[in-house]
Amino acid sequence: VQLQASGGGLVQAGGSLRLSCAASGRTHINYDMAWFRQAPGKEREFVAGITWRGRTTNYADSVKGRFTISRSTGTVRNMVYLQMNDLQVEDTAVYYCAARYWTGSQYTDWGQGTQVTVSS
C-alpha cells in the first residue's frame, strides 16, 4: 500500500497533536499499521501499532498513557491516527506510518514522514 502521513507541526511542551496516515492501493487486503519515529542522530523506533480490525494495539513504554493509536472502521480501514497528548521535547522526531501484511512480520510499506517538533 501507499502511505501518506500528515498532521505534524510545532507545539509547546504539554501540548497535543494528531497525526493521520492515509493508505491507498492494495486496500482489498488486510494489513496492520503502525507509527515509528526517528529523532536526529538516533535509530528509528517503534511508537505504536494496531491490527487490521483495531482489536489489538501496542505502544512503546515511552509513550504509554500519552499517545493513542486508532484506525478507521468499515470495509476499507485505510486511515490510521496517532493522538499525541502531553508532548515532551524528547518526542521531537520525524514520524512515519508503516504497514505490514501479517501480524508479527516486518513492516514493509512506509510513508514519507511528518515532522513533529516540541519546544520547551
Side-chain angles (χ1 to χ4, degrees):
V1 293
Q2 292 78 51
L3 302 171
Q4 180 74 38
S6 61
L10 173 65
V11 64
Q12 286 189 327
S16 298
L17 280 175
R18 188 192 195 209
L19 304 183
S20 299
C21 179
S24 60
R26 301 174 66 185
T27 54
H28 59 287
I29 60 174
N30 299 351
Y31 49 94
D32 296 346
M33 295 184 75
W35 289 96
F36 289 74
R37 66 186 181 187
Q38 188 167 20
K42 294 187 177 181
E43 297 285 322
R44 185 171 58 194
E45 63 176 356
F46 172 83
V47 175
I50 188 166
T51 52
W52 167 248
R53 295 190 183 280
R55 292 174 180 170
T56 302
T57 59
N58 57 316
Y59 298 90
D61 288 343
S62 59
V63 306
K64 281 181 182 176
R66 301 187 297 122
F67 290 12
T68 303
I69 190 170
S70 61
R71 188 163 190 166
S72 56
T73 58
T75 304
V76 181
R77 306 177 188 270
N78 69 320
M79 294 295 299
V80 68
Y81 307 97
L82 186 67
Q83 178 66 42
M84 305 186 294
N85 298 329
D86 190 24
L87 282 160
Q88 304 300 313
V89 172
E90 52 267 32
D91 294 317
T92 295
V94 177
Y95 284 70
Y96 299 89
C97 57
R100 65 183 181 187
Y101 300 102
W102 298 275
T103 299
S105 66
Q106 296 292 317
Y107 287 90
T108 56
D109 298 352
W110 295 84
Q112 86 290 359
T114 185
Q115 176 71 46
V116 172
T117 303
V118 185
S119 63
S120 58

Tab-separated table of all heavy atoms in Angstrom, residues 21-84:
chain	number	residue	atom	x	y	z
A	21	CYS	N	-2.659	9.123	8.800
A	21	CYS	CA	-1.983	8.394	7.736
A	21	CYS	C	-3.054	7.765	6.856
A	21	CYS	O	-3.910	7.026	7.352
A	21	CYS	CB	-1.065	7.320	8.295
A	21	CYS	SG	-0.198	6.357	7.038
A	22	ALA	N	-3.001	8.064	5.583
A	22	ALA	CA	-3.950	7.527	4.626
A	22	ALA	C	-3.270	6.475	3.758
A	22	ALA	O	-2.208	6.730	3.188
A	22	ALA	CB	-4.499	8.644	3.752
A	23	ALA	N	-3.891	5.307	3.686
A	23	ALA	CA	-3.370	4.224	2.856
A	23	ALA	C	-4.170	4.137	1.568
A	23	ALA	O	-5.379	4.323	1.563
A	23	ALA	CB	-3.438	2.902	3.608
A	24	SER	N	-3.482	3.831	0.486
A	24	SER	CA	-4.161	3.654	-0.789
A	24	SER	C	-3.477	2.522	-1.548
A	24	SER	O	-2.353	2.115	-1.214
A	24	SER	CB	-4.125	4.943	-1.607
A	24	SER	OG	-2.789	5.332	-1.870
A	25	GLY	N	-4.163	2.022	-2.547
A	25	GLY	CA	-3.572	0.957	-3.346
A	25	GLY	C	-4.193	-0.380	-3.024
A	25	GLY	O	-5.346	-0.624	-3.358
A	26	ARG	N	-3.466	-1.250	-2.319
A	26	ARG	CA	-3.909	-2.610	-2.080
A	26	ARG	C	-4.876	-2.681	-0.899
A	26	ARG	O	-4.664	-3.396	0.059
A	26	ARG	CB	-2.709	-3.511	-1.827
A	26	ARG	CG	-1.716	-3.534	-2.963
A	26	ARG	CD	-0.482	-4.326	-2.605
A	26	ARG	NE	-0.776	-5.737	-2.410
A	26	ARG	CZ	0.114	-6.621	-1.997
A	26	ARG	NH1	1.360	-6.229	-1.706
A	26	ARG	NH2	-0.208	-7.880	-1.839
A	27	THR	N	-5.947	-1.914	-0.975
A	27	THR	CA	-6.850	-1.822	0.166
A	27	THR	C	-7.821	-2.986	0.251
A	27	THR	O	-8.654	-3.030	1.141
A	27	THR	CB	-7.625	-0.498	0.118
A	27	THR	OG1	-8.259	-0.377	-1.151
A	27	THR	CG2	-6.698	0.678	0.341
A	28	HIS	N	-7.723	-3.955	-0.670
A	28	HIS	CA	-8.600	-5.108	-0.615
A	28	HIS	C	-8.020	-6.217	0.241
A	28	HIS	O	-8.622	-7.271	0.392
A	28	HIS	CB	-8.838	-5.641	-2.033
A	28	HIS	CG	-7.579	-6.052	-2.731
A	28	HIS	ND1	-6.671	-5.139	-3.213
A	28	HIS	CD2	-7.062	-7.266	-3.003
A	28	HIS	CE1	-5.659	-5.781	-3.765
A	28	HIS	NE2	-5.864	-7.061	-3.642
A	29	ILE	N	-6.838	-5.988	0.813
A	29	ILE	CA	-6.219	-6.992	1.673
A	29	ILE	C	-6.066	-6.426	3.069
A	29	ILE	O	-6.132	-5.227	3.284
A	29	ILE	CB	-4.855	-7.432	1.132
A	29	ILE	CG1	-3.904	-6.222	1.048
A	29	ILE	CG2	-4.986	-8.117	-0.208
A	29	ILE	CD1	-2.503	-6.602	0.660
A	30	ASN	N	-5.892	-7.323	4.033
A	30	ASN	CA	-5.736	-6.897	5.414
A	30	ASN	C	-4.288	-6.517	5.700
A	30	ASN	O	-3.356	-7.151	5.185
A	30	ASN	CB	-6.136	-8.029	6.357
A	30	ASN	CG	-7.575	-8.440	6.190
A	30	ASN	OD1	-8.345	-7.792	5.486
A	30	ASN	ND2	-7.946	-9.530	6.825
A	31	TYR	N	-4.106	-5.512	6.525
A	31	TYR	CA	-2.750	-5.130	6.921
A	31	TYR	C	-2.778	-4.410	8.260
A	31	TYR	O	-3.691	-3.638	8.532
A	31	TYR	CB	-2.074	-4.243	5.865
A	31	TYR	CG	-2.904	-3.084	5.375
A	31	TYR	CD1	-2.776	-1.822	5.959
A	31	TYR	CD2	-3.822	-3.241	4.350
A	31	TYR	CE1	-3.547	-0.765	5.529
A	31	TYR	CE2	-4.596	-2.185	3.914
A	31	TYR	CZ	-4.460	-0.960	4.506
A	31	TYR	OH	-5.232	0.088	4.075
A	32	ASP	N	-1.805	-4.704	9.069
A	32	ASP	CA	-1.601	-3.965	10.309
A	32	ASP	C	-0.918	-2.642	9.971
A	32	ASP	O	-0.240	-2.524	8.952
A	32	ASP	CB	-0.686	-4.738	11.265
A	32	ASP	CG	-1.269	-6.061	11.724
A	32	ASP	OD1	-2.490	-6.267	11.525
A	32	ASP	OD2	-0.510	-6.871	12.275
A	33	MET	N	-1.069	-1.666	10.852
A	33	MET	CA	-0.402	-0.378	10.655
A	33	MET	C	0.271	0.061	11.932
A	33	MET	O	-0.082	-0.393	13.021
A	33	MET	CB	-1.396	0.671	10.153
A	33	MET	CG	-1.956	0.349	8.769
A	33	MET	SD	-3.050	1.620	8.109
A	33	MET	CE	-1.858	2.875	7.633
A	34	ALA	N	1.241	0.925	11.791
A	34	ALA	CA	1.994	1.375	12.951
A	34	ALA	C	2.591	2.748	12.688
A	34	ALA	O	2.657	3.210	11.548
A	34	ALA	CB	3.109	0.384	13.283
A	35	TRP	N	3.016	3.364	13.779
A	35	TRP	CA	3.789	4.601	13.717
A	35	TRP	C	5.177	4.329	14.284
A	35	TRP	O	5.317	3.673	15.321
A	35	TRP	CB	3.117	5.702	14.526
A	35	TRP	CG	1.859	6.218	13.913
A	35	TRP	CD1	0.577	5.833	14.196
A	35	TRP	CD2	1.761	7.234	12.910
A	35	TRP	NE1	-0.305	6.533	13.425
A	35	TRP	CE2	0.390	7.407	12.625
A	35	TRP	CE3	2.695	8.018	12.214
A	35	TRP	CZ2	-0.078	8.332	11.682
A	35	TRP	CZ3	2.236	8.935	11.281
A	35	TRP	CH2	0.867	9.082	11.021
A	36	PHE	N	6.159	4.852	13.593
A	36	PHE	CA	7.537	4.844	14.049
A	36	PHE	C	8.013	6.295	14.084
A	36	PHE	O	7.378	7.179	13.515
A	36	PHE	CB	8.427	4.049	13.083
A	36	PHE	CG	8.214	2.564	13.112
A	36	PHE	CD1	7.091	1.989	12.537
A	36	PHE	CD2	9.151	1.731	13.697
A	36	PHE	CE1	6.892	0.614	12.559
A	36	PHE	CE2	8.967	0.358	13.722
A	36	PHE	CZ	7.839	-0.196	13.147
A	37	ARG	N	9.144	6.514	14.721
A	37	ARG	CA	9.725	7.861	14.696
A	37	ARG	C	11.243	7.769	14.683
A	37	ARG	O	11.828	6.776	15.140
A	37	ARG	CB	9.254	8.691	15.893
A	37	ARG	CG	9.739	8.205	17.248
A	37	ARG	CD	9.092	9.017	18.371
A	37	ARG	NE	9.554	8.599	19.690
A	37	ARG	CZ	9.045	9.065	20.824
A	37	ARG	NH1	8.046	9.955	20.802
A	37	ARG	NH2	9.527	8.641	21.980
A	38	GLN	N	11.847	8.815	14.170
A	38	GLN	CA	13.300	8.900	14.148
A	38	GLN	C	13.729	10.309	14.506
A	38	GLN	O	13.400	11.264	13.786
A	38	GLN	CB	13.866	8.506	12.788
A	38	GLN	CG	15.378	8.403	12.776
A	38	GLN	CD	15.902	7.713	11.537
A	38	GLN	OE1	15.219	7.617	10.514
A	38	GLN	NE2	17.127	7.201	11.610
A	39	ALA	N	14.438	10.421	15.617
A	39	ALA	CA	14.976	11.695	16.060
A	39	ALA	C	16.370	11.885	15.461
A	39	ALA	O	17.038	10.906	15.102
A	39	ALA	CB	15.044	11.735	17.578
A	40	PRO	N	16.842	13.121	15.349
A	40	PRO	CA	18.168	13.379	14.776
A	40	PRO	C	19.256	12.611	15.516
A	40	PRO	O	19.324	12.625	16.742
A	40	PRO	CB	18.339	14.889	14.968
A	40	PRO	CG	16.954	15.415	15.001
A	40	PRO	CD	16.135	14.373	15.685
A	41	GLY	N	20.075	11.883	14.758
A	41	GLY	CA	21.181	11.146	15.343
A	41	GLY	C	20.799	9.854	16.039
A	41	GLY	O	21.645	9.224	16.671
A	42	LYS	N	19.519	9.465	15.946
A	42	LYS	CA	19.061	8.251	16.616
A	42	LYS	C	18.490	7.256	15.623
A	42	LYS	O	18.143	7.610	14.502
A	42	LYS	CB	18.014	8.591	17.676
A	42	LYS	CG	18.563	9.416	18.833
A	42	LYS	CD	17.525	9.562	19.929
A	42	LYS	CE	18.083	10.318	21.128
A	42	LYS	NZ	17.076	10.444	22.213
A	43	GLU	N	18.378	6.012	16.089
A	43	GLU	CA	17.767	4.975	15.272
A	43	GLU	C	16.251	5.183	15.216
A	43	GLU	O	15.647	5.750	16.136
A	43	GLU	CB	18.058	3.595	15.878
A	43	GLU	CG	19.531	3.222	15.923
A	43	GLU	CD	20.046	2.853	14.546
A	43	GLU	OE1	19.295	2.204	13.796
A	43	GLU	OE2	21.197	3.216	14.230
A	44	ARG	N	15.654	4.694	14.153
A	44	ARG	CA	14.197	4.716	14.076
A	44	ARG	C	13.636	3.771	15.124
A	44	ARG	O	14.160	2.669	15.322
A	44	ARG	CB	13.743	4.285	12.685
A	44	ARG	CG	12.251	4.382	12.455
A	44	ARG	CD	11.931	4.145	11.003
A	44	ARG	NE	12.392	2.845	10.528
A	44	ARG	CZ	12.467	2.513	9.242
A	44	ARG	NH1	12.144	3.388	8.312
A	44	ARG	NH2	12.890	1.313	8.899
A	45	GLU	N	12.570	4.192	15.798
A	45	GLU	CA	11.995	3.371	16.853
A	45	GLU	C	10.490	3.232	16.687
A	45	GLU	O	9.812	4.130	16.176
A	45	GLU	CB	12.301	3.967	18.235
A	45	GLU	CG	11.698	5.328	18.486
A	45	GLU	CD	11.942	5.825	19.901
A	45	GLU	OE1	12.516	5.093	20.727
A	45	GLU	OE2	11.532	6.971	20.190
A	46	PHE	N	9.995	2.115	17.165
A	46	PHE	CA	8.560	1.842	17.141
A	46	PHE	C	7.864	2.740	18.159
A	46	PHE	O	8.353	2.924	19.275
A	46	PHE	CB	8.338	0.368	17.480
A	46	PHE	CG	6.907	-0.019	17.675
A	46	PHE	CD1	6.107	-0.320	16.595
A	46	PHE	CD2	6.358	-0.077	18.945
A	46	PHE	CE1	4.778	-0.683	16.770
A	46	PHE	CE2	5.044	-0.440	19.141
A	46	PHE	CZ	4.251	-0.746	18.047
A	47	VAL	N	6.698	3.269	17.787
A	47	VAL	CA	5.908	4.103	18.689
A	47	VAL	C	4.607	3.401	19.086
A	47	VAL	O	4.316	3.249	20.269
A	47	VAL	CB	5.586	5.464	18.039
A	47	VAL	CG1	4.663	6.293	18.931
A	47	VAL	CG2	6.872	6.228	17.725
A	48	ALA	N	3.824	2.981	18.096
A	48	ALA	CA	2.535	2.357	18.380
A	48	ALA	C	2.095	1.560	17.165
A	48	ALA	O	2.427	1.908	16.034
A	48	ALA	CB	1.492	3.415	18.727
A	49	GLY	N	1.329	0.482	17.426
A	49	GLY	CA	0.832	-0.348	16.338
A	49	GLY	C	-0.610	-0.757	16.576
A	49	GLY	O	-1.083	-0.765	17.717
A	50	ILE	N	-1.296	-1.101	15.492
A	50	ILE	CA	-2.687	-1.507	15.572
A	50	ILE	C	-2.953	-2.551	14.510
A	50	ILE	O	-2.455	-2.469	13.386
A	50	ILE	CB	-3.625	-0.286	15.428
A	50	ILE	CG1	-5.070	-0.660	15.714
A	50	ILE	CG2	-3.480	0.359	14.039
A	50	ILE	CD1	-5.974	0.562	15.915
A	51	THR	N	-3.730	-3.573	14.875
A	51	THR	CA	-4.027	-4.636	13.935
A	51	THR	C	-5.150	-4.227	12.984
A	51	THR	O	-5.768	-3.169	13.146
A	51	THR	CB	-4.415	-5.917	14.682
A	51	THR	OG1	-5.467	-5.612	15.617
A	51	THR	CG2	-3.221	-6.478	15.440
A	52	TRP	N	-5.409	-5.088	12.002
A	52	TRP	CA	-6.355	-4.774	10.934
A	52	TRP	C	-7.719	-4.327	11.464
A	52	TRP	O	-8.272	-3.329	11.033
A	52	TRP	CB	-6.498	-5.984	10.038
A	52	TRP	CG	-7.652	-5.931	9.074
A	52	TRP	CD1	-8.771	-6.698	9.084
A	52	TRP	CD2	-7.802	-5.042	7.953
A	52	TRP	NE1	-9.601	-6.367	8.047
A	52	TRP	CE2	-9.036	-5.348	7.341
A	52	TRP	CE3	-7.022	-4.017	7.421
A	52	TRP	CZ2	-9.502	-4.674	6.214
A	52	TRP	CZ3	-7.494	-3.348	6.300
A	52	TRP	CH2	-8.706	-3.675	5.717
A	53	ARG	N	-8.265	-5.084	12.394
A	53	ARG	CA	-9.601	-4.749	12.896
A	53	ARG	C	-9.556	-3.795	14.076
A	53	ARG	O	-10.596	-3.459	14.640
A	53	ARG	CB	-10.345	-6.027	13.283
A	53	ARG	CG	-10.625	-6.929	12.101
A	53	ARG	CD	-11.565	-8.067	12.460
A	53	ARG	NE	-11.778	-8.960	11.330
A	53	ARG	CZ	-12.607	-8.720	10.338
A	53	ARG	NH1	-13.339	-7.605	10.333
A	53	ARG	NH2	-12.741	-9.578	9.356
A	54	GLY	N	-8.359	-3.405	14.465
A	54	GLY	CA	-8.227	-2.463	15.559
A	54	GLY	C	-8.419	-3.077	16.932
A	54	GLY	O	-8.528	-2.353	17.917
A	55	ARG	N	-8.441	-4.398	17.016
A	55	ARG	CA	-8.723	-5.044	18.294
A	55	ARG	C	-7.499	-5.064	19.196
A	55	ARG	O	-7.635	-5.182	20.412
A	55	ARG	CB	-9.219	-6.470	18.049
A	55	ARG	CG	-10.579	-6.526	17.402
A	55	ARG	CD	-10.967	-7.936	17.035
A	55	ARG	NE	-12.283	-7.984	16.400
A	55	ARG	CZ	-12.779	-9.058	15.804
A	55	ARG	NH1	-12.084	-10.181	15.782
A	55	ARG	NH2	-13.969	-9.018	15.261
A	56	THR	N	-6.333	-4.996	18.609
A	56	THR	CA	-5.098	-5.057	19.386
A	56	THR	C	-4.231	-3.841	19.076
A	56	THR	O	-4.000	-3.527	17.911
A	56	THR	CB	-4.308	-6.335	19.083
A	56	THR	OG1	-5.119	-7.465	19.373
A	56	THR	CG2	-3.032	-6.397	19.922
A	57	THR	N	-3.806	-3.173	20.128
A	57	THR	CA	-2.864	-2.064	19.988
A	57	THR	C	-1.682	-2.315	20.918
A	57	THR	O	-1.798	-3.021	21.921
A	57	THR	CB	-3.506	-0.720	20.345
A	57	THR	OG1	-3.981	-0.774	21.695
A	57	THR	CG2	-4.672	-0.397	19.422
A	58	ASN	N	-0.555	-1.756	20.574
A	58	ASN	CA	0.584	-1.816	21.477
A	58	ASN	C	1.414	-0.547	21.321
A	58	ASN	O	1.347	0.116	20.278
A	58	ASN	CB	1.426	-3.078	21.271
A	58	ASN	CG	1.934	-3.230	19.864
A	58	ASN	OD1	1.209	-3.029	18.905
A	58	ASN	ND2	3.193	-3.574	19.730
A	59	TYR	N	2.132	-0.224	22.386
A	59	TYR	CA	2.829	1.057	22.470
A	59	TYR	C	4.236	0.885	23.031
A	59	TYR	O	4.502	-0.007	23.841
A	59	TYR	CB	2.069	2.008	23.400
A	59	TYR	CG	0.674	2.356	22.930
A	59	TYR	CD1	-0.423	1.594	23.309
A	59	TYR	CD2	0.467	3.461	22.104
A	59	TYR	CE1	-1.701	1.915	22.875
A	59	TYR	CE2	-0.807	3.797	21.672
A	59	TYR	CZ	-1.881	3.016	22.058
A	59	TYR	OH	-3.142	3.343	21.627
A	60	ALA	N	5.106	1.777	22.620
A	60	ALA	CA	6.400	1.871	23.278
A	60	ALA	C	6.186	2.384	24.699
A	60	ALA	O	5.268	3.181	24.949
A	60	ALA	CB	7.309	2.821	22.505
A	61	ASP	N	7.010	1.939	25.614
A	61	ASP	CA	6.862	2.357	27.009
A	61	ASP	C	6.920	3.874	27.153
A	61	ASP	O	6.246	4.458	28.005
A	61	ASP	CB	7.951	1.715	27.869
A	61	ASP	CG	7.731	0.231	28.077
A	61	ASP	OD1	6.605	-0.246	27.846
A	61	ASP	OD2	8.701	-0.451	28.462
A	62	SER	N	7.702	4.509	26.319
A	62	SER	CA	7.913	5.954	26.440
A	62	SER	C	6.675	6.782	26.107
A	62	SER	O	6.612	7.960	26.452
A	62	SER	CB	9.070	6.394	25.543
A	62	SER	OG	8.796	6.069	24.186
A	63	VAL	N	5.689	6.177	25.436
A	63	VAL	CA	4.508	6.943	25.044
A	63	VAL	C	3.226	6.418	25.674
A	63	VAL	O	2.158	7.024	25.496
A	63	VAL	CB	4.352	6.980	23.510
A	63	VAL	CG1	5.631	7.485	22.847
A	63	VAL	CG2	3.952	5.622	22.958
A	64	LYS	N	3.307	5.326	26.404
A	64	LYS	CA	2.107	4.769	27.025
A	64	LYS	C	1.451	5.795	27.939
A	64	LYS	O	2.108	6.463	28.724
A	64	LYS	CB	2.469	3.523	27.835
A	64	LYS	CG	2.660	2.275	27.002
A	64	LYS	CD	3.001	1.075	27.871
A	64	LYS	CE	3.233	-0.161	27.030
A	64	LYS	NZ	3.650	-1.315	27.861
A	65	GLY	N	0.123	5.891	27.809
A	65	GLY	CA	-0.626	6.831	28.622
A	65	GLY	C	-0.696	8.233	28.031
A	65	GLY	O	-1.479	9.056	28.507
A	66	ARG	N	0.111	8.506	27.015
A	66	ARG	CA	0.102	9.825	26.385
A	66	ARG	C	-0.363	9.765	24.931
A	66	ARG	O	-1.007	10.698	24.445
A	66	ARG	CB	1.498	10.451	26.436
A	66	ARG	CG	2.056	10.633	27.829
A	66	ARG	CD	3.371	11.425	27.814
A	66	ARG	NE	4.425	10.739	27.080
A	66	ARG	CZ	5.056	11.272	26.024
A	66	ARG	NH1	4.745	12.478	25.592
A	66	ARG	NH2	6.026	10.590	25.419
A	67	PHE	N	-0.010	8.708	24.225
A	67	PHE	CA	-0.362	8.553	22.814
A	67	PHE	C	-1.444	7.493	22.656
A	67	PHE	O	-1.459	6.496	23.393
A	67	PHE	CB	0.864	8.120	22.007
A	67	PHE	CG	1.944	9.166	21.853
A	67	PHE	CD1	1.951	10.335	22.599
A	67	PHE	CD2	2.969	8.968	20.948
A	67	PHE	CE1	2.950	11.281	22.464
A	67	PHE	CE2	3.977	9.897	20.793
A	67	PHE	CZ	3.970	11.053	21.561
A	68	THR	N	-2.299	7.689	21.669
A	68	THR	CA	-3.335	6.717	21.359
A	68	THR	C	-3.388	6.500	19.852
A	68	THR	O	-3.547	7.472	19.094
A	68	THR	CB	-4.708	7.185	21.851
A	68	THR	OG1	-4.660	7.430	23.264
A	68	THR	CG2	-5.771	6.127	21.561
A	69	ILE	N	-3.281	5.244	19.437
A	69	ILE	CA	-3.400	4.905	18.025
A	69	ILE	C	-4.814	4.402	17.772
A	69	ILE	O	-5.389	3.689	18.610
A	69	ILE	CB	-2.338	3.857	17.595
A	69	ILE	CG1	-2.326	3.696	16.083
A	69	ILE	CG2	-2.540	2.540	18.312
A	69	ILE	CD1	-1.152	2.863	15.568
A	70	SER	N	-5.374	4.784	16.641
A	70	SER	CA	-6.703	4.322	16.282
A	70	SER	C	-6.768	4.151	14.774
A	70	SER	O	-5.879	4.594	14.039
A	70	SER	CB	-7.777	5.301	16.760
A	70	SER	OG	-7.602	6.576	16.163
A	71	ARG	N	-7.861	3.528	14.345
A	71	ARG	CA	-7.988	3.205	12.930
A	71	ARG	C	-9.428	3.407	12.495
A	71	ARG	O	-10.365	3.198	13.276
A	71	ARG	CB	-7.577	1.757	12.714
A	71	ARG	CG	-7.482	1.321	11.295
A	71	ARG	CD	-6.694	0.039	11.193
A	71	ARG	NE	-6.404	-0.239	9.810
A	71	ARG	CZ	-5.532	-1.110	9.396
A	71	ARG	NH1	-4.839	-1.840	10.282
A	71	ARG	NH2	-5.328	-1.308	8.116
A	72	SER	N	-9.625	3.787	11.269
A	72	SER	CA	-10.971	3.972	10.735
A	72	SER	C	-11.658	2.614	10.658
A	72	SER	O	-11.022	1.577	10.502
A	72	SER	CB	-10.912	4.619	9.349
A	72	SER	OG	-10.119	3.861	8.454
A	73	THR	N	-12.982	2.633	10.786
A	73	THR	CA	-13.760	1.403	10.741
A	73	THR	C	-14.400	1.248	9.369
A	73	THR	O	-14.268	2.120	8.504
A	73	THR	CB	-14.850	1.427	11.825
A	73	THR	OG1	-15.676	2.581	11.619
A	73	THR	CG2	-14.214	1.516	13.201
A	74	GLY	N	-15.088	0.128	9.182
A	74	GLY	CA	-15.716	-0.120	7.895
A	74	GLY	C	-14.920	-1.101	7.070
A	74	GLY	O	-14.003	-1.753	7.554
A	75	THR	N	-15.232	-1.198	5.815
A	75	THR	CA	-14.626	-2.199	4.947
A	75	THR	C	-13.182	-1.869	4.605
A	75	THR	O	-12.317	-2.743	4.565
A	75	THR	CB	-15.436	-2.334	3.652
A	75	THR	OG1	-16.785	-2.643	3.981
A	75	THR	CG2	-14.865	-3.436	2.789
A	76	VAL	N	-12.872	-0.606	4.377
A	76	VAL	CA	-11.560	-0.237	3.864
A	76	VAL	C	-10.518	-0.060	4.966
A	76	VAL	O	-9.384	-0.497	4.829
A	76	VAL	CB	-11.661	1.038	3.020
A	76	VAL	CG1	-10.306	1.429	2.462
A	76	VAL	CG2	-12.656	0.833	1.881
A	77	ARG	N	-10.897	0.546	6.051
A	77	ARG	CA	-9.998	0.736	7.205
A	77	ARG	C	-8.665	1.344	6.807
A	77	ARG	O	-7.611	0.925	7.307
A	77	ARG	CB	-9.752	-0.592	7.919
A	77	ARG	CG	-11.009	-1.327	8.337
A	77	ARG	CD	-10.691	-2.663	8.971
A	77	ARG	NE	-11.883	-3.458	9.202
A	77	ARG	CZ	-12.591	-3.424	10.315
A	77	ARG	NH1	-12.208	-2.660	11.301
A	77	ARG	NH2	-13.674	-4.150	10.440
A	78	ASN	N	-8.678	2.334	5.938
A	78	ASN	CA	-7.433	2.812	5.375
A	78	ASN	C	-6.849	4.030	6.059
A	78	ASN	O	-5.867	4.590	5.580
A	78	ASN	CB	-7.628	3.125	3.889
A	78	ASN	CG	-8.508	4.333	3.685
A	78	ASN	OD1	-9.500	4.505	4.385
A	78	ASN	ND2	-8.155	5.171	2.732
A	79	MET	N	-7.452	4.488	7.144
A	79	MET	CA	-6.912	5.627	7.871
A	79	MET	C	-6.442	5.169	9.242
A	79	MET	O	-7.121	4.422	9.942
A	79	MET	CB	-7.964	6.710	8.056
A	79	MET	CG	-8.420	7.373	6.763
A	79	MET	SD	-7.106	8.310	5.945
A	79	MET	CE	-6.711	9.526	7.200
A	80	VAL	N	-5.268	5.632	9.642
A	80	VAL	CA	-4.795	5.394	10.993
A	80	VAL	C	-4.383	6.727	11.590
A	80	VAL	O	-3.899	7.605	10.868
A	80	VAL	CB	-3.636	4.375	11.024
A	80	VAL	CG1	-2.391	4.937	10.371
A	80	VAL	CG2	-3.337	3.928	12.434
A	81	TYR	N	-4.607	6.893	12.877
A	81	TYR	CA	-4.359	8.148	13.564
A	81	TYR	C	-3.455	7.921	14.773
A	81	TYR	O	-3.436	6.840	15.359
A	81	TYR	CB	-5.685	8.753	14.030
A	81	TYR	CG	-6.705	8.875	12.932
A	81	TYR	CD1	-7.690	7.908	12.767
A	81	TYR	CD2	-6.683	9.953	12.047
A	81	TYR	CE1	-8.623	8.005	11.752
A	81	TYR	CE2	-7.616	10.058	11.028
A	81	TYR	CZ	-8.576	9.085	10.888
A	81	TYR	OH	-9.506	9.180	9.878
A	82	LEU	N	-2.750	8.960	15.131
A	82	LEU	CA	-1.962	8.924	16.360
A	82	LEU	C	-2.255	10.209	17.115
A	82	LEU	O	-1.814	11.294	16.707
A	82	LEU	CB	-0.473	8.802	16.075
A	82	LEU	CG	0.410	8.609	17.321
A	82	LEU	CD1	0.129	7.246	17.952
A	82	LEU	CD2	1.893	8.743	16.968
A	83	GLN	N	-3.043	10.086	18.165
A	83	GLN	CA	-3.315	11.222	19.040
A	83	GLN	C	-2.200	11.312	20.063
A	83	GLN	O	-1.972	10.368	20.820
A	83	GLN	CB	-4.662	11.044	19.744
A	83	GLN	CG	-4.999	12.160	20.702
A	83	GLN	CD	-5.212	13.492	20.006
A	83	GLN	OE1	-5.845	13.556	18.950
A	83	GLN	NE2	-4.679	14.565	20.580
A	84	MET	N	-1.512	12.440	20.067
A	84	MET	CA	-0.363	12.620	20.957
A	84	MET	C	-0.669	13.737	21.940
A	84	MET	O	-0.859	14.891	21.542
A	84	MET	CB	0.881	12.963	20.129
A	84	MET	CG	1.193	11.954	19.040
A	84	MET	SD	2.737	12.271	18.179
A	84	MET	CE	2.340	13.817	17.355
